[in-house]
Coordinates of all heavy atoms in Angstrom, one line a residue:
L1 N -8.4 -12.5 -2.0 CA -8.2 -12.1 -0.6 C -7.3 -13.1 0.2 O -7.7 -14.3 0.2 CB -9.5 -11.7 0.1 CG -10.5 -10.9 -0.7 CD1 -11.7 -10.5 0.3 CD2 -9.9 -9.6 -1.2
D2 N -6.4 -12.7 0.9 CA -5.5 -13.5 1.8 C -6.3 -13.8 3.1 O -7.3 -13.2 3.5 CB -4.1 -13.0 2.0 CG -4.0 -11.8 2.8 OD1 -5.0 -11.5 3.5 OD2 -3.0 -11.0 2.8
G3 N -5.7 -14.8 3.9 CA -6.3 -15.2 5.2 C -6.5 -14.0 6.2 O -7.5 -14.0 6.9
V4 N -5.6 -13.2 6.2 CA -5.7 -12.1 7.2 C -6.7 -11.2 6.9 O -7.6 -10.7 7.7 CB -4.3 -11.3 7.2 CG1 -4.5 -10.0 8.2 CG2 -3.2 -12.2 7.8
E5 N -6.9 -10.7 5.5 CA -7.9 -9.9 5.2 C -9.3 -10.5 5.3 O -10.2 -9.9 5.6 CB -7.8 -9.4 3.7 CG -8.8 -8.4 3.1 CD -8.4 -7.8 1.9 OE1 -7.5 -8.4 1.2 OE2 -9.0 -6.9 1.5
N6 N -9.4 -11.8 5.0 CA -10.7 -12.5 5.1 C -11.2 -12.5 6.5 O -12.4 -12.4 6.8 CB -10.5 -13.9 4.7 CG -10.6 -14.2 3.2 OD1 -11.3 -13.4 2.5 ND2 -9.9 -15.2 2.6
R7 N -10.4 -12.4 7.6 CA -10.8 -12.5 9.1 C -10.8 -10.9 9.6 O -11.0 -10.8 10.8 CB -9.8 -13.3 9.8 CG -9.7 -14.7 9.4 CD -9.1 -15.5 10.4 NE -7.7 -15.0 10.6 CZ -6.6 -15.4 9.9 NH1 -6.8 -16.2 8.8 NH2 -5.4 -14.9 10.2
A8 N -10.6 -10.0 8.8 CA -10.5 -8.6 9.4 C -11.9 -8.0 9.5 O -12.6 -7.9 8.5 CB -9.5 -7.7 8.4
D9 N -12.1 -7.5 10.6 CA -13.5 -7.0 10.9 C -13.8 -5.7 10.1 O -12.8 -4.8 9.8 CB -13.6 -6.5 12.4 CG -13.8 -7.7 13.3 OD1 -13.9 -8.9 12.8 OD2 -13.8 -7.6 14.5
V10 N -14.9 -5.5 9.6 CA -15.5 -4.3 9.0 C -16.7 -3.7 9.7 O -17.6 -4.5 10.0 CB -15.9 -4.6 7.6 CG1 -16.3 -3.3 6.9 CG2 -14.8 -5.3 6.8
H11 N -16.6 -2.4 10.1 CA -17.7 -1.8 10.9 C -18.4 -0.8 10.0 O -17.8 -0.1 9.2 CB -17.2 -1.1 12.0 CG -16.6 -2.0 13.1 ND1 -15.9 -1.4 14.2 CD2 -16.6 -3.2 13.2 CE1 -15.4 -2.5 14.9 NE2 -15.8 -3.5 14.4
L12 N -19.8 -0.8 9.9 CA -20.4 0.1 9.0 C -21.5 0.8 9.7 O -22.2 0.3 10.5 CB -21.1 -0.7 7.9 CG -20.1 -1.7 7.0 CD1 -20.2 -3.1 7.6 CD2 -20.6 -1.7 5.6
F13 N -21.7 2.1 9.4 CA -22.8 2.9 9.8 C -23.6 3.3 8.5 O -23.0 3.8 7.4 CB -22.5 4.3 10.4 CG -22.2 4.2 11.9 CD1 -21.1 5.1 12.5 CD2 -22.8 3.4 12.7 CE1 -20.9 5.0 13.8 CE2 -22.4 3.3 14.1 CZ -21.6 4.2 14.6
A14 N -24.9 3.1 8.5 CA -25.8 3.6 7.3 C -26.7 4.7 7.7 O -27.2 4.7 8.9 CB -26.6 2.3 6.8
F15 N -26.7 5.7 6.8 CA -27.5 7.0 7.1 C -28.7 7.1 6.2 O -28.4 7.1 4.9 CB -26.6 8.2 7.1 CG -25.4 8.2 8.0 CD1 -24.3 7.6 7.6 CD2 -25.6 8.7 9.4 CE1 -23.2 7.6 8.6 CE2 -24.6 8.6 10.3 CZ -23.3 8.1 9.8
D16 N -29.9 7.0 6.7 CA -31.0 7.3 5.8 C -31.0 8.8 5.4 O -31.4 9.7 6.2 CB -32.3 6.9 6.6 CG -33.6 7.1 5.9 OD1 -33.5 7.7 4.6 OD2 -34.7 6.7 6.2
M17 N -30.7 9.1 4.2 CA -30.5 10.5 3.8 C -31.8 11.2 3.6 O -31.7 12.5 3.4 CB -29.6 10.6 2.5 CG -28.3 10.0 2.7 SD -27.3 10.7 4.0 CE -27.2 12.5 3.5
S18 N -32.9 10.6 3.7 CA -34.1 11.5 3.8 C -34.2 12.2 5.1 O -35.0 13.2 5.2 CB -35.4 10.5 3.8 OG -35.5 9.7 4.9
R19 N -33.4 11.9 6.0 CA -33.4 12.6 7.4 C -32.2 13.6 7.5 O -32.2 14.2 8.6 CB -33.4 11.5 8.5 CG -34.6 10.7 8.6 CD -34.5 9.6 9.7 NE -35.9 9.1 10.1 CZ -36.6 9.7 11.1 NH1 -36.1 10.6 11.9 NH2 -37.6 9.1 11.4
F20 N -31.2 13.5 6.7 CA -30.0 14.2 6.9 C -29.6 15.1 5.8 O -29.8 15.0 4.7 CB -28.9 13.3 7.2 CG -29.2 12.4 8.4 CD1 -29.5 11.0 8.0 CD2 -29.2 12.8 9.7 CE1 -29.7 10.2 9.1 CE2 -29.4 11.9 10.7 CZ -29.7 10.6 10.5
D21 N -28.9 16.2 6.1 CA -28.1 17.0 5.2 C -26.7 16.7 5.4 O -26.1 16.7 6.5 CB -28.4 18.5 5.5 CG -29.6 19.1 5.2 OD1 -30.3 18.5 4.2 OD2 -30.1 20.0 5.8
L22 N -26.0 16.4 4.3 CA -24.5 16.1 4.2 C -23.8 17.4 4.0 O -24.0 18.0 2.9 CB -24.1 15.1 3.3 CG -22.8 14.5 3.3 CD1 -22.3 13.9 4.5 CD2 -22.5 13.7 2.1
R23 N -22.7 17.7 4.8 CA -21.9 18.8 4.5 C -20.4 18.5 4.7 O -20.2 17.4 5.3 CB -22.2 19.9 5.4 CG -23.6 20.4 5.2 CD -24.1 21.7 6.1 NE -25.5 22.1 5.8 CZ -26.0 23.1 6.3 NH1 -25.3 24.0 7.0 NH2 -27.2 23.5 6.1
Y24 N -19.6 19.4 4.3 CA -18.0 19.0 4.2 C -17.3 20.3 4.6 O -17.7 21.5 4.2 CB -17.8 18.5 2.8 CG -16.2 18.4 2.6 CD1 -15.6 17.4 3.2 CD2 -15.6 19.3 1.7 CE1 -14.1 17.3 2.9 CE2 -14.2 19.1 1.5 CZ -13.6 18.1 2.1 OH -12.2 18.0 1.8
E25 N -16.2 20.1 5.3 CA -15.4 21.2 5.8 C -14.0 20.7 5.7 O -13.6 19.6 6.0 CB -15.7 21.7 7.2 CG -15.0 22.9 7.7 CD -15.5 24.2 7.1 OE1 -16.8 24.3 7.1 OE2 -14.8 25.1 6.8
I26 N -13.0 21.6 5.2 CA -11.6 21.2 5.1 C -11.0 21.6 6.4 O -11.4 22.4 7.2 CB -10.9 21.7 3.9 CG1 -10.6 23.2 4.0 CG2 -11.6 21.3 2.6 CD1 -9.6 23.7 2.9
G27 N -9.8 20.9 6.8 CA -9.2 21.2 8.0 C -8.3 22.6 7.9 O -8.2 23.3 6.9
T28 N -7.7 22.8 9.1 CA -6.9 24.0 9.2 C -5.6 23.9 8.2 O -5.1 25.0 7.8 CB -6.5 24.3 10.6 OG1 -5.8 23.3 11.1 CG2 -7.6 24.8 11.5
S29 N -5.3 22.6 7.9 CA -4.1 22.4 7.1 C -4.3 21.6 5.9 O -3.5 21.6 4.9 CB -3.0 21.8 7.9 OG -2.6 22.7 9.1
H30 N -5.2 20.7 6.0 CA -5.3 19.6 4.9 C -6.8 19.5 4.5 O -7.7 19.7 5.3 CB -4.9 18.2 5.5 CG -3.5 18.2 5.9 ND1 -2.4 18.4 5.0 CD2 -3.0 18.1 7.2 CE1 -1.3 18.4 5.7 NE2 -1.6 18.2 7.0
P31 N -7.1 19.2 3.3 CA -6.0 19.1 2.2 C -5.5 20.5 1.7 O -6.3 21.5 1.8 CB -6.6 18.4 1.0 CG -8.1 18.8 1.3 CD -8.3 18.9 2.7
E32 N -4.3 20.5 1.4 CA -3.6 21.7 0.8 C -4.0 22.0 -0.6 O -4.5 21.1 -1.2 CB -2.1 21.7 1.2 CG -1.8 21.6 2.6 CD -0.3 21.6 2.9 OE1 0.3 20.7 2.3 OE2 0.2 22.4 3.8
V33 N -3.5 23.0 -1.1 CA -3.8 23.4 -2.6 C -2.5 23.6 -3.5 O -2.7 23.9 -4.5 CB -4.7 24.5 -2.6 CG1 -6.1 24.4 -2.1 CG2 -4.1 25.7 -2.1
D34 N -1.3 23.3 -2.9 CA -0.1 23.4 -3.5 C 0.1 22.1 -4.3 O -0.8 21.2 -4.4 CB 1.1 23.8 -2.8 CG 1.3 22.7 -1.5 OD1 0.5 21.8 -1.4 OD2 2.2 23.0 -0.7
W35 N 1.2 21.9 -4.8 CA 1.6 20.6 -5.5 C 1.9 19.6 -4.6 O 2.5 19.6 -3.6 CB 2.9 20.8 -6.3 CG 2.7 21.8 -7.5 CD1 3.1 23.1 -7.5 CD2 2.2 21.4 -8.8 NE1 2.8 23.5 -8.9 CE2 2.2 22.6 -9.6 CE3 1.7 20.3 -9.3 CZ2 1.9 22.6 -10.9 CZ3 1.2 20.3 -10.6 CH2 1.3 21.5 -11.5
S36 N 1.3 18.3 -5.0 CA 1.8 17.0 -4.4 C 3.1 16.8 -5.0 O 3.4 17.2 -6.1 CB 0.8 15.9 -4.9 OG 1.4 14.7 -4.6
P37 N 4.0 16.1 -4.2 CA 5.3 15.9 -4.8 C 5.3 14.7 -5.8 O 6.3 14.4 -6.4 CB 6.1 15.4 -3.5 CG 5.1 14.9 -2.5 CD 3.9 15.8 -2.8
R38 N 4.1 14.0 -6.0 CA 4.1 12.9 -6.8 C 4.2 13.2 -8.4 O 5.0 12.6 -9.1 CB 2.8 12.1 -6.6 CG 2.8 11.4 -5.2 CD 1.7 10.5 -5.0 NE 1.8 9.8 -3.8 CZ 1.0 8.8 -3.4 NH1 0.0 8.5 -4.1 NH2 1.2 8.1 -2.1
P39 N 3.5 14.1 -8.9 CA 3.6 14.4 -10.4 C 5.0 14.9 -10.7 O 5.6 15.7 -9.9 CB 2.6 15.4 -10.6 CG 1.5 15.3 -9.4 CD 2.4 14.9 -8.3
S40 N 5.5 14.7 -11.8 CA 6.7 15.2 -12.3 C 6.7 15.2 -13.8 O 5.8 14.8 -14.4 CB 8.0 14.3 -11.8 OG 7.8 13.0 -12.3
G41 N 7.8 15.8 -14.3 CA 7.9 15.9 -15.9 C 6.7 16.6 -16.4 O 6.3 17.8 -16.0
R42 N 6.0 16.0 -17.3 CA 4.8 16.7 -18.1 C 3.6 17.0 -17.0 O 2.9 17.7 -17.4 CB 4.4 15.8 -19.3 CG 5.4 15.9 -20.4 CD 4.9 15.0 -21.6 NE 4.9 13.6 -21.2 CZ 3.8 12.9 -21.1 NH1 2.5 13.4 -21.3 NH2 3.9 11.5 -20.8
G43 N 3.7 16.3 -16.0 CA 2.6 16.4 -15.0 C 2.7 17.6 -14.1 O 1.8 17.8 -13.2
R44 N 3.8 18.3 -14.2 CA 4.1 19.4 -13.3 C 4.5 20.7 -14.0 O 5.4 20.6 -14.8 CB 5.1 19.0 -12.3 CG 5.2 20.0 -11.1 CD 6.3 19.5 -10.1 NE 6.3 20.4 -8.9 CZ 6.0 20.0 -7.7 NH1 5.5 18.8 -7.5 NH2 6.1 20.8 -6.6

């Protein structure tokens, strides 16, 4: 790790999952379900 990364702050939240239900929702636009422009050739 370089000097900048060594001094970069990290903030953390921890959740005791005995108290919570975790759920997930996608946005109105992202992530999409079409092709990423990255794969090509045999990958597409």
